[in-house]
Amino acid sequence: QAVTTGSGNAIFGNTAGPNITTGSSNSFFGSNSGNITSVGTDNSFFGALSGFNNTVSNNSFFGASSGFANTTGTFNAFFGAGSGSSNTLGSSNTFMGSNSGQLNVIGTNNSFFGQASGFNNTASNNSFFGIASGYANTTGTRNSFFGTRSGVANTTGSDNVFVGDSAGAANTNGAINVFIGAEAGFTNASGLGNVYIGASAGRSFSSGNFNTYVGTSAGQLATGQENSFFGLNSGRSTSGNNNAFFGSNTGFNNTAAQNSFFGHASGFLNTTGSSNTFIGASSGGSNTTGSRNTFTGLESGFNNTGSSNTFTGYKAGYENTAGDFNTAVGDSAGLMNISGSSNTFIGFKARPN
């Protein structure tokens, strides 16, 4: 060994630390570990070729070829065969798992946990937890991916939070998204500012922006923009924009825009009807093409396909199909009106004379 004034070093293995001179408090275990190190201090390299090119201090590399190319990067902790093996200048990184952060060269302040997590990363301030999480990330920064294959295809997208198995798996350059739940936002590639919470929420949309889906399969097949869906299967197939659905199965088949449905299965069959407001379980449940309607109350306007109607009360306007410009206020008001238009029904079971 070439040790001159260095002290407190522990060196074990064929040609381990052969060039150390003034470096102190280093532990090199394994063939060719710390091979180039001469003046570095407080390093721990365990495994063949670990820290081979290291010249600086305060690194911990565990596993064959871990930290192999590191030259001036400091305060790194690499655990697993091939972890951080290409890192040269990157500092304050923690890579745990075989091949985690393998191609990281200059990225700093990253935390990768899981086999091949952050494999292609070159950026900084990312946290990837789970097998292959953030695998393809190159220049994307400030991302947090938690779960097997979460954010696996992300390359340049930044400021994303993906939590769950395969959450945001297809995201490439989409940014400022929050996907929580197994396969939430699964096919999102370039969408911005989306929040999907729940298993398969927003699963099949690749480019939507500024949507909020909360609930299992909420917006699962949706393709619209600036929608808010809350509840199981709410807005599941929606293609329209600027809709707000609250309750399980609300707006399930909606393809139109600017609708507000509140209550279980309200607006369930709505397709092209737009600018509707349905409040109450199953209100406007069978409405398909009717627009500009306001229904308030359980099953109000349930069978409606007409437009510009206002029904308020339990089953108000329940049987209305093609009637337009009707107003019904009260329990079962206008209940039996089917196709009549421009009527006003006020009171309990009010009906045409």
Side-chain angles (χ1 to χ4, degrees):
Q1 304 292 344
V3 176
T4 54
T5 60
S7 62
N9 295 295
I11 301 172
F12 295 85
N14 181 42
T15 62
N19 295 298
I20 198 164
T21 55
T22 60
S24 300
S25 302
N26 295 293
S27 297
F28 302 155
F29 292 78
S31 176
N32 288 299
S33 58
N35 188 277
I36 304 300
T37 301
S38 61
V39 297
T41 63
D42 299 305
N43 294 295
S44 297
F45 304 152
F46 291 78
L49 301 174
S50 59
F52 184 92
N53 290 286
N54 184 79
T55 61
V56 289
S57 305
N58 299 302
N59 291 297
S60 297
F61 304 149
F62 292 77
S65 297
S66 57
F68 176 87
N70 192 76
T71 54
T72 58
T74 61
F75 299 103
N76 293 296
F78 303 154
F79 294 78
S83 58
S85 60
S86 299
N87 191 79
T88 56
L89 309 179
S91 297
S92 301
N93 295 296
T94 301
F95 304 154
M96 295 193 181
S98 61
N99 299 316
S100 57
Q102 185 170 10
L103 299 184
N104 189 77
V105 179
I106 60 174
T108 63
N109 301 313
N110 295 294
S111 296
F112 304 153
F113 292 79
Q115 181 185 14
S117 57
F119 184 91
N120 290 285
N121 184 77
T122 60
S124 301
N125 302 305
N126 292 297
S127 297
F128 304 150
F129 293 76
I131 294 175
S133 57
Y135 178 91
N137 192 75
T138 53
T139 59
T141 65
R142 299 180 300 277
N143 293 297
S144 296
F145 303 155
F146 296 80
T148 299
R149 295 182 59 79
S150 57
V152 64
N154 191 78
T155 54
T156 60
S158 298
D159 299 298
N160 295 294
V161 177
F162 303 154
V163 180
D165 189 322
S166 297
N171 194 78
T172 54
N173 61 345
I176 54 175
N177 295 295
V178 177
F179 302 152
I180 300 176
E183 297 191 346
F186 182 85
T187 60
N188 186 81
S190 58
L192 304 174
N194 296 294
V195 177
Y196 302 154
I197 300 176
S200 295
R203 185 186 188 282
S204 301
F205 196 17
S206 61
S207 58
N209 300 323
F210 306 110
N211 294 295
T212 301
Y213 305 155
V214 179
T216 299
S217 297
Q220 182 177 10
L221 303 176
T223 58
Q225 312 273 350
E226 299 182 33
N227 293 298
S228 298
F229 305 151
F230 293 80
L232 171 69
N233 290 321
S234 58
R236 185 176 185 273
S237 303
T238 291
S239 58
N241 304 326
N242 306 115
N243 295 289
F245 304 153
F246 292 78
S248 60
N249 295 312
T250 52
F252 186 92
N253 293 291
N254 184 74
T255 61
Q258 298 177 330
N259 291 297
S260 299
F261 303 152
F262 296 80
H264 169 69
S266 58
F268 180 83
L269 295 179
N270 192 76
T271 53
T272 59
S274 61
S275 302
N276 294 296
T277 301
F278 302 156
I279 301 175
S282 297
S283 56
S286 298
N287 188 78
T288 54
T289 60
S291 298
R292 301 178 303 282
N293 295 293
T294 301
F295 304 153
T296 306
L298 175 65
E299 297 184 343
S300 56
F302 182 83
N303 290 296
N304 182 77
T305 59
S307 298
S308 302
N309 295 294
T310 301
F311 302 149
T312 302
Y314 169 67
K315 286 192 174 183
Y318 182 89
E319 295 291 353
N320 189 74
T321 54
D324 302 323
F325 306 106
N326 293 295
T327 300
V329 180
D331 185 331
S332 302
L335 175 68
M336 302 305 295
N337 186 71
I338 297 175
S339 58
S341 298
S342 302
N343 295 293
T344 301
F345 308 129
I346 299 177
F348 175 65
K349 291 187 177 180
R351 64 187 64 194
N353 292 324

